[in-house]
Amino acid sequence: MPVPYSYDLRQKAIEAFQSGEGKSDVCRMFNISRNTLDLWLKRREETGDYQAI
């Protein structure tokens, strides 16, 4: 079973995106897929947090 990404990594990636980095750049920087970042952003929009379920 895959292990979820750490909360710290999620926080850093979302902060980088909010500071003006492009989604593709953030994904390359943190070695995550674009879909993963999109899911984190969607979860934050829906629940107010991006904690792993």
Side-chain angles (χ1 to χ4, degrees):
M1 183 169 158
V3 178
Y5 288 102
S6 70
Y7 189 77
D8 184 52
L9 176 69
R10 293 166 186 253
Q11 185 175 18
K12 288 179 182 178
I14 289 178
E15 286 175 358
F17 174 69
Q18 288 177 328
S19 71
E21 293 287 337
K23 285 184 178 181
S24 297
D25 294 331
V26 170
C27 293
R28 263 189 248 112
M29 219 183 318
F30 294 100
N31 196 28
I32 58 174
S33 72
R34 174 73 180 263
N35 185 55
T36 297
L37 181 59
D38 288 338
L39 289 172
W40 293 348
L41 292 169
K42 181 180 177 184
R43 183 173 300 147
R44 186 186 58 142
E45 183 179 310
E46 292 173 350
T47 67
D49 198 12
Y50 36 86
Q51 183 75 24
I53 296 175

